[in-house]
């Protein structure tokens, strides 16, 4: 499994509490894994997908449509404000325990769109994100 958890890896992760209740968002690994100086672990940059609600809160930086990935069933977007650095061991352990569900890899073109979104939103993102730009 370790060879499969890499850039372009996609999985359903833990449930997030939202105004609409608990929702499981699809997550995308959009960088290579590298040693993180803050966590002292092998981490990657991970973003999640959120459904469009046709409101001003929808982030239009990277929109996803049915056909972009097998799990995109309606118009959605990447929630860049929720970007995380995630430990590879954390992903592997949670897959093994059945808490995370691996899904189809994203295409290289979709990966590029997501990464371009990071670059365009860099000023609004957590500082740690800049540590992963060299492993895009």
């Amino acid at each position: 499994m370790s060879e499969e958890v890499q850039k372009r890896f996609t999985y359903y992760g833990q449930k997030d509490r939202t105004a609409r209740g608990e929702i499981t968002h699809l997550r995308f690994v959009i960088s290579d894994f590298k040693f993180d100086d803050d966590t002292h672990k092998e981490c990657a940059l991970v973003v999640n997908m959120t459904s469009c609600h046709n409101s001003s809160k929808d982030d239009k930086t990277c929109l996803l449509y049915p056909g972009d990935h097998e799990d995109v069933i309606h118009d959605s977007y990447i929630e860049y404000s929720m970007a995380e650095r995630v430990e590879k061991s954390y992903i592997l352990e949670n897959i093994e325990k059945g808490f995370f569900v691996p899904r189809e890899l994203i295409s290289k073109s979709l990966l590029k769109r997501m990464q371009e979104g990071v670059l365009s939103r860099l000023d609004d993102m957590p500082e740690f994100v800049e540590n992963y730009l060299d492993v895009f």
Side-chain angles (χ1 to χ4, degrees), residues 36-101:
D36 187 281
D37 291 331
D38 293 332
T39 65
H40 303 287
K41 304 273 180 151
E42 191 177 6
C43 297
L45 186 60
V46 175
V47 294
N48 77 60
M49 176 180 78
T50 301
S51 300
C52 286
H53 298 290
N54 296 319
S55 78
S56 60
K57 294 181 180 179
D58 291 356
D59 184 340
K60 310 255 186 316
T61 306
C62 183
L63 296 171
L64 304 176
Y65 303 101
D68 281 336
H69 184 272
E70 68 180 359
D71 290 308
V72 179
I73 57 173
H74 52 260
D75 293 359
S76 302
Y77 62 92
I78 296 301
E79 182 72 58
Y80 287 106
S81 65
M82 301 293 290
E84 306 171 276
R85 61 179 153 207
V86 180
E87 298 171 18
K88 185 180 232 180
S89 61
Y90 177 75
I91 296 172
L92 290 169
E93 289 168 12
N94 281 283
I95 289 171
E96 188 175 306
K97 292 176 183 176
F99 298 139
F100 289 180
V101 179

